Amino acid sequence: RRSIWRVGPDSTWTTVLPVAFIIVSLLSLAILPVAVSRHTATMRKEIATIAEPARRAANQMQMDLSGELDKVIAWQVTGQAQYRTDYYRLVQEQEENRKLLAALLPQLNEGLDNDLRTLFVQTARWHEGVRRGELISRQLPGEVFLARLYEEHPAYEKTATAASELELSIQTAIEDRLDSIRDADRLNLWLTIILTFLALTSALLVAGLGRQMRLLAREAMARRREAEREAHESRGARAAAEREERRAAFLAGAGEEVVRSLDFEQTVLTLARLIVPNLAELCAIDIMESEGGLRRATVVHRNPEDETRLTPHLGRIARDVPEGLVHIMQERTARIVGVSSGLFSFVADPLPIDNRNMIVLPLVSRGQILGIVSAVSAESKRFTESDVPLFVDLVRLAALAIDNARLYRDSLQAVRTREEVLAIVSHDLRNPLNAITLGASLLQRSPTLSDDDSEQLETIELSAKRMSRLIADLLDVTRIEIGKQLPIEPARLDVAELLRETVELFKAQASANEVTLQARGEDVPPVFADHHRVLQVLSNLVGNAMKFTPASGMISIAAEARDGDVLCVVADTGPGIPTANLGKIFNPYWQAKRDERLGAGLGLPIAKGIVEAHGGHIWVESEPGVGTRFFFTLPVWREPKPAATPAEESSARR
């Protein structure tokens, strides 16, 4: 015979259902009696603390109403003040009972509020009638008293009826709660019987659960297999983490390799050498040319003989780029292509390409396409989508390095071009300028020269001198840019005389521009500086101030001793320099945007180089709309110590 307790490997209900039944039974045994007991206790407490006090208060109000009429009649018949006092005491007691009922009845039954409100209204009418009819304020003649009492008696009757109805309603609420308590007791009895049956059934279920212990061994075995599966998964995760670590290490090493050299061609070759043989069998890199087309920059093969066969394609510029490569460059995404693609012939021709595929990736830096990287897989290991992220990360690093190398190459080319131009300017241009200057000087000596011709010759000579100064400035700026100090010949220099000389140089220009030019520096010690170079600094600063100071403005040159140096200041009342431009004004060739170009942008960089060559420092302070002040320092002249005599040297040695 088959038992209901017989279990098998698939009968999981025999474990879950008995346990759930036992739990429900035990909880029921513990909770339901407590809940019923608490319910009955709550109702008994309501009867004792709310219902009974409310009923007594309603009954007392009914008795007080009956006593009020007796006190009124006794007062009118006897005239004794005690009866009137008793009347007011009864009225006060009714008010107190009314307040008590107002607090208790909402807790007992919300419907009792209407009965209490009706009693309050009727009581107020009765008391108002007693006051209005002067039934308690003074003694009335018998006929008058009876007539007025007869008029107010209906109100009294309604008040007594309302009090009686309120007491009856409270008593009904008490009876309802007593009935509920009796029902709860009966329910508690039935629950006890039912829960006892549940307890017996639970005992049977506990006995039945013992038979399921045979499943524990199978469950343990299943858990063991689950643990082994998790261990296998953890080993797989650890292997994946190790692969990711190797991938990160490869990318870190590759990043160091590609940035090691700033040579463009070497950087491209390094990228190809990283891909072959680490990731692919063949790698070809084509660089985008500025005039259009792709130039084969490098090609690397795992087999040196096959690489030799691909060497003739180096340097080849493909004007007709395959459409597939065009799409890849437009989409800027890596793509795996199969043997059937025509891109294989573009990359690997004339090598065989059976059972291989290829990853094609665009070289992108700063949003620009630099070229295409094509990597052909080995025959035994074709590329999959899981290989693409590593190629993408590697090419992204290499693209940045290649872009930097290209920019470095372009900058070197620009420097060489600039140096060639400066060489031409400084050497080849000076010869015709010297010839122009010499010719103008000889022509000015002619006795038959007219005034107009003489003025034109002066203009030619001034222009030639200006061009010579510009050539000298260009050479000075070039020395500064390559890190060389400007040549100086320092000597003792009187600062006051230097300031007066600067004023004399710009006196005529200041008068023509209606600008006040003044200098102050009489009690300043001499400096150890190159007269020509320092005059060049002051000329550049004052010349700039002349360009920007409006008519009726003022330019001041001052000098003072400060901390072992001489501080020179050139100040103007011009429009000032915007705060955003203060850090740029000492850069070569830089000028603020203006409607007209007022110079080559070389004066301030040269002034900075001259001051620093003297071991000084130059800076600027400016307030837009107020003016600008340039400061620079020069070292103070110190008298050389006299040479020691032979006798003094001998004494010092002793």
Side-chain angles (χ1 to χ4, degrees):
R1 188 181 60 176
R2 186 174 182 83
S3 171
I4 62 171
W5 305 115
R6 188 179 300 275
V7 296
D10 299 328
S11 55
T12 56
W13 67 271
T14 56
T15 301
V16 178
L17 184 60
V19 171
F21 189 82
I22 291 171
I23 294 174
V24 172
S25 301
L26 294 177
L27 290 176
S28 300
L29 286 170
I31 296 174
L32 291 179
V34 174
V36 173
S37 299
R38 291 186 62 180
H39 178 66
T40 56
T42 301
M43 289 188 291
R44 287 191 176 93
K45 183 178 180 181
E46 288 179 356
I47 292 174
T49 59
I50 300 175
E52 280 298 327
R55 186 186 63 77
R56 287 194 295 271
N59 182 264
Q60 184 65 38
M61 288 185 67
Q62 189 174 4
M63 294 175 61
D64 290 344
L65 283 171
S66 300
E68 283 180 14
L69 184 59
D70 295 338
K71 302 304 179 183
V72 170
I73 295 174
W75 156 255
Q76 291 294 336
V77 172
T78 64
Q80 295 182 8
Q82 177 183 355
Y83 294 112
R84 186 169 62 179
T85 302
D86 291 341
Y87 170 83
Y88 286 118
R89 178 179 57 78
L90 293 175
V91 171
Q92 181 64 30
E93 289 179 359
Q94 288 185 56
E95 179 61 23
E96 294 175 358
N97 287 326
R98 186 192 67 78
K99 293 180 179 179
L100 178 61
L101 289 172
L104 295 177
L105 291 182
Q107 304 177 49
L108 188 62
N109 191 340
E110 294 180 357
L112 296 177
D113 284 343
N114 295 330
D115 295 338
L116 179 62
R117 195 177 298 108
T118 301
L119 174 60
F120 174 74
V121 172
Q122 296 300 334
T123 303
R125 290 177 181 175
W126 157 246
H127 290 158
E128 177 64 21
V130 171
R131 184 191 63 77
R132 187 176 58 250
E134 299 180 334
L135 298 180
I136 200 67
S137 60
R138 65 188 181 89
Q139 282 187 298
L140 301 173
E143 294 80 9
V144 175
F145 167 70
L146 291 176
R148 292 184 179 179
L149 182 62
Y150 179 79
E151 292 175 359
E152 301 301 332
H153 191 267
Y156 172 79
E157 289 291 334
K158 291 181 179 179
T159 302
T161 301
S164 177
E165 290 177 353
L166 177 61
E167 183 182 5
L168 182 60
S169 298
I170 294 173
Q171 185 62 38
T172 301
I174 294 174
E175 291 297 330
D176 291 339
R177 277 165 173 72
L178 291 174
D179 291 339
S180 179
I181 290 173
R182 286 189 289 271
D183 293 338
D185 289 338
R186 287 192 294 270
L187 177 62
N188 194 20
L189 176 61
W190 282 105
L191 285 176
T192 302
I193 296 172
I194 294 172
L195 293 177
T196 302
F197 174 77
L198 289 176
L200 294 174
T201 306
S202 299
L204 294 175
L205 289 174
V206 169
L209 286 176
R211 303 188 63 181
Q212 298 190 33
M213 297 300 294
R214 293 176 299 178
L215 296 176
L216 293 179
R218 295 182 181 179
E219 292 179 2
M221 184 61 68
R223 290 176 182 174
R224 180 179 176 181
R225 289 202 273 304
E226 179 68 18
E228 291 176 351
R229 184 182 62 81
E230 291 178 355
H232 178 71
E233 291 178 353
S234 66
R235 287 194 296 271
R238 184 166 58 252
E242 291 175 354
R243 287 195 300 271
E244 185 63 26
E245 184 178 358
R246 290 193 298 270
R247 175 178 178 272
F250 173 74
L251 289 176
E256 294 179 359
E257 289 291 331
V258 295
V259 300
R260 183 168 297 175
S261 173
L262 284 175
D263 182 79
F264 180 79
E265 299 296 337
Q266 181 61 39
T267 304
V268 174
L269 180 60
T270 300
L271 173 59
R273 294 295 184 190
L274 287 170
I275 295 176
V276 178
N278 296 310
L279 304 177
E281 186 175 273
L282 166 65
C283 178
I285 300 179
D286 298 280
I287 299 300
M288 181 73 69
E289 291 296 312
S290 58
E291 63 273 11
L294 291 174
R295 177 180 62 85
R296 179 63 51 86
T298 187
V299 59
V300 177
H301 197 284
R302 184 176 297 176
N303 187 350
E305 296 179 358
D306 291 335
E307 182 175 332
T308 303
R309 297 172 63 186
L310 295 170
T311 303
H313 295 288
L314 289 178
R316 181 193 63 184
I317 298 179
R319 303 294 182 185
D320 188 12
V321 180
E323 186 176 355
L325 288 183
V326 174
H327 287 316
I328 291 174
M329 288 189 291
Q330 290 175 348
E331 296 172 0
R332 301 188 178 187
T333 56
R335 182 181 299 177
I336 297 178
V337 298
V339 176
S340 59
S341 173
L343 298 181
F344 269 91
S345 60
F346 178 80
V347 174
D349 187 61
L351 299 182
I353 54 174
D354 297 335
N355 294 327
R356 290 175 174 83
N357 60 359
M358 180 171 60
I359 292 182
V360 183
L361 307 98
L363 276 169
V364 182
S365 179
R366 297 182 295 125
Q368 298 178 353
I369 298 294
L370 304 181
I372 287 289
V373 178
S374 305
V376 179
S377 70
E379 187 175 2
S380 59
K381 189 178 184 302
R382 293 165 58 87
F383 293 132
T384 63
E385 290 296 332
S386 61
D387 298 318
V388 174
L390 179 58
F391 275 94
V392 171
D393 292 341
L394 176 60
V395 170
R396 184 183 298 116
L397 291 173
L400 181 59
I402 292 172
D403 191 24
N404 290 338
R406 186 185 64 171
L407 293 175
Y408 179 72
R409 181 191 63 184
D410 295 344
S411 66
L412 290 180
Q413 181 63 35
V415 170
R416 284 193 296 270
T417 303
R418 185 191 62 184
E419 291 176 350
E420 292 173 359
V421 171
L422 288 176
I424 294 173
V425 169
S426 62
H427 184 269
D428 297 344
L429 193 59
R430 276 183 171 179
N431 293 331
L433 279 177
N434 291 334
I436 292 172
T437 304
L438 180 60
S441 300
L442 292 175
L443 288 174
Q444 284 181 340
R445 297 176 183 177
S446 175
T448 61
L449 192 67
S450 65
D451 293 340
D452 291 340
D453 293 339
S454 178
E455 183 178 353
Q456 292 296 325
L457 287 174
E458 289 179 359
T459 302
I460 292 172
E461 188 174 9
L462 288 175
S463 298
K465 291 180 179 179
R466 183 180 178 188
M467 291 181 68
S468 297
R469 286 196 301 271
L470 180 58
I471 291 172
D473 289 344
L474 288 173
L475 294 177
D476 287 342
V477 169
T478 303
R479 292 190 186 97
I480 294 172
E481 287 184 333
I482 63 178
K484 292 183 178 180
Q485 281 194 350
L486 295 180
I488 59 173
E489 297 178 0
R492 187 181 186 279
L493 181 61
D494 189 325
V495 177
E497 181 63 28
L498 181 66
L499 299 185
R500 284 193 294 272
E501 184 178 355
T502 304
V503 171
E504 289 297 325
L505 285 175
F506 288 93
K507 182 187 297 184
Q509 184 179 354
S511 177
N513 294 345
E514 299 181 3
V515 173
T516 301
L517 178 63
Q518 63 182 16
R520 176 175 53 83
E522 289 76 12
D523 299 329
V524 181
V527 296
F528 186 61
D530 186 320
H531 175 271
H532 171 72
R533 288 295 192 179
V534 176
L535 184 61
Q536 186 179 0
V537 173
L538 290 172
S539 298
N540 286 336
L541 297 179
V542 175
N544 283 340
M546 283 289 181
K547 296 174 185 176
F548 296 102
T549 302
S552 72
M554 184 177 67
I555 299 173
S556 63
I557 312 171
E560 63 180 16
R562 178 179 296 182
D563 299 332
D565 293 327
V566 171
L567 176 66
C568 300
V569 184
V570 177
D572 63 61
T573 58
I577 302 173
T579 304
N581 295 338
L582 286 177
K584 307 174 184 177
I585 60 174
F586 290 107
N587 295 338
Y589 311 107
W590 184 88
Q591 281 191 333
K593 293 182 179 179
R594 296 178 57 86
D595 294 335
E596 57 179 346
R597 187 171 181 88
L598 300 178
L602 302 178
L604 291 179
I606 292 173
K608 182 174 182 291
I610 293 173
V611 171
E612 291 178 350
H614 284 84
H617 180 57
I618 186 170
W619 69 95
V620 62
E621 294 178 359
S622 181
E623 184 177 352
V626 176
T628 304
R629 293 186 300 169
F630 281 90
F631 304 84
F632 67 92
T633 60
L634 295 173
V636 174
W637 162 264
R638 301 186 187 280
E639 292 290 342
K641 294 181 180 180
T645 63
E648 291 174 342
E649 291 180 357
S650 176
S651 176
R653 285 196 297 271
R654 286 199 299 269

